[in-house]
Amino acid sequence: PQPRISAAPVIPMSLLLGIDNGLTVTKAVIFDTAGRVVSMARRRVPQSLPRPRHVQRDMTGLWTHTAEAIADALSACPRPASDIACIAATAHGDGLYLLDGEGRPLAPGILSLDSRAGEIAARWQADGTAALALERTGQRPHASAPSALLAWLRANEPDRFARIGHVLACKDWLRFCLTGGIATDLTEASTAFTDVATQDYADDILPIFGLEALSHALPPILAPDAVAGHVTPQAAALTGLVAGTPVAAGLHDVTASSLGAGGYAEGVAAIVAGTYSINETVSRAARTGPGWFCRNGIAPGEWNAMAISPASASNYDWFLDTFCAAERAAGGPDLHARIIPQIEAAMARPSTAIFHPYLFGAPQGAMASAGFFGLRGWQDRGDMLRAVIEGITFNHRVHVDALREGFAIDRARLTGGISRSPVFAQLFADTLAMPVSTSDTEEAAAWGAALCAGSAAGLFESPRHDPRDPGALTRNFTPDATRSADLDRRYAVFREIGRAMEPVWPSIEALGE
């Protein structure tokens, strides 16, 4: 498909390039130092699913598509590439992007939707490995964690495992393609192998997972706003960037999204309703718990508690693609705008319909699957849509409630595509029973990366010194007590069904083998 490119005139000043690579799309966004989008281009990056639970993509193809997006954004920009003061990338976390000792990709990159290592993660949960990992690293290993994926490779592809020269995350691979340098940043390093207290590598951590042979392969850790390298002549030729342009280390996209949307703060639950249900809050202490990951923040002495599962707005997109395909194909007015009145009508009447949004994963693990419960013959598509949206907000509440057990949180900052709808934003406020604000930030994750680039270039005092007026970008939603009470009752049923289904999900999954 052709890239979507946009451009807008700006006043002369330095420019910043933020690269945002998600699970399906890679984007290049050029900002001015007031945070305005100057130009943007995107390219879809194909995934491959060669076997059940294997979700991956070609690493060279990922770089090619990203380079093309950068070139397109520069073509749409009314200013020369020489005005770009610094570059930073952000991308999906977890997964695995491996290089050999010569810096060549070792087969496809593994995405965070991959679950091939689910049995290993389950075994570690049973044998005490997960508990030790939580104590030392602040992380419970899960199916797409680098630790579990590397253990899977050791067991199933020993030849490939023996050739590992560098263990990278997605954005670290893109930065390597831009600069030729090997590194990671503080936020990304903490996905598996850092001491939760010191925020640095420790000799006893790789052996927890039987991975001590990879001590040579962990990349150096830099601050997200440290200059990690400069654009090489080869990368400049592919992208149109100026050789020698500085490139900052960048950061994990979960943290980039909350930073760019103005939600990176203590006392705030930063929520991203996208492919993943992302819920996080900043802490000045390393607090660990089974309900969240305790990962490094953007500076030493800061931690980011994250409660995450692949169970959010992608369920709504799936419903529209599957059950509204004819209307979508017919074109005309925006389908989302036409669907909203059906949801509002369903919300105005009692409903027994409940939906578990586990099409692509769940907090309960890889075996959980999605399902409608309580459907009746007299209910219609609006009731099903209401159940889907409520199920998404209920799953976010599972995570936010876990965070509230360990942290003092009194408000939420919501981003993601569905947050643009006042109906959905109000539903989050009512479900969570706390004030929710939304941000009009364009490309929040890319702007979070650009804030790190601006700090690296000396244009901002730090990544936290956002030059924009947050009040001008914010819309506030206050919970309705009556609606919150009703949703609380529905949420209790949602959780009760989940508990009842836990012993059944493995049997359902076995039907597909």
Side-chain angles (χ1 to χ4, degrees), residues 243-270:
T245 302
V247 181
L251 71 174
H252 185 293
D253 68 348
V254 172
T255 308
S257 294
S258 64
L259 181 66
Y264 185 85
E266 293 180 88
V268 177

Side-chain angles (χ1 to χ4, degrees), residues 91-97 167-174 183-184 188 191 219:
H92 77 84
D94 297 300
L96 208 54
Y97 290 73
V167 176
L168 299 180
C170 180
K171 68 104 171 55
D172 299 328
W173 160 243
L174 295 177
T184 191
E188 204 86 66
T191 55

Side-chain angles (χ1 to χ4, degrees), residues 252-484:
H252 185 293
D253 68 348
V254 172
T255 308
S257 294
S258 64
L259 181 66
Y264 185 85
E266 293 180 88
V268 177
I271 297 173
V272 182
T275 302
Y276 267 69
S277 170
I278 296 172
N279 314 269
E280 56 189 317
T281 192
V282 176
S283 172
R284 299 288 179 175
R287 293 196 187 103
T288 62
W292 63 84
F293 301 129
C294 182
R295 295 189 171 172
N296 295 338
I298 61 175
E302 290 180 359
W303 286 263
N304 202 352
M306 301 179 185
I308 300 171
S309 63
S312 188
S314 51
N315 289 266
Y316 175 68
D317 293 334
W318 167 84
F319 190 98
L320 296 186
D321 289 340
T322 304
F323 298 106
C324 308
E327 292 163 274
R328 180 164 277 177
D334 178 59
L335 175 62
H336 178 71
R338 283 181 283 149
I339 288 295
I340 291 294
Q342 297 180 31
I343 299 174
E344 289 180 305
M347 286 179 170
R349 58 182 180 257
S351 176
T352 56
I354 299 286
F355 178 70
H356 278 162
Y358 305 150
L359 288 167
F360 306 102
Q364 295 91 332
M367 289 294 160
S369 52
F372 282 98
F373 302 87
L375 283 179
R376 297 294 189 178
W378 52 84
Q379 293 172 332
D380 60 19
R381 187 173 69 178
D383 295 288
M384 298 178 75
L385 279 163
R386 169 190 172 176
V388 169
I389 294 300
E390 284 185 350
I392 290 167
T393 64
F394 289 164
N395 188 64
H396 277 275
R397 178 174 166 178
V398 169
H399 294 307
V400 173
D401 282 353
L403 291 175
R404 285 193 272 207
E405 291 179 7
F407 306 91
I409 297 171
D410 58 13
R411 62 196 185 282
R413 185 77 163 178
L414 174 66
T415 59
I418 65 173
S419 70
R420 298 187 184 96
S421 165
V423 172
F424 296 165
Q426 184 62 51
L427 181 60
F428 269 87
D430 295 336
T431 299
L432 299 175
M434 68 164 61
V436 169
S437 62
T438 60
S439 172
D440 290 335
T441 299
E442 291 187 74
E443 304 298 338
W447 175 237
L451 285 168
C452 293
S455 178
L459 299 173
F460 308 140
E461 184 176 338
S462 80
R464 299 184 74 155
H465 286 76
D466 193 323
R468 305 167 306 166
D469 174 11
L473 299 169
T474 297
R475 184 169 181 181
N476 297 307
F477 298 85
T478 302
D480 177 270
T482 300
R483 181 71 178 137
S484 288

Side-chain angles (χ1 to χ4, degrees), residues 47 85 162 204 300:
Q47 297 178 358
D204 66 313

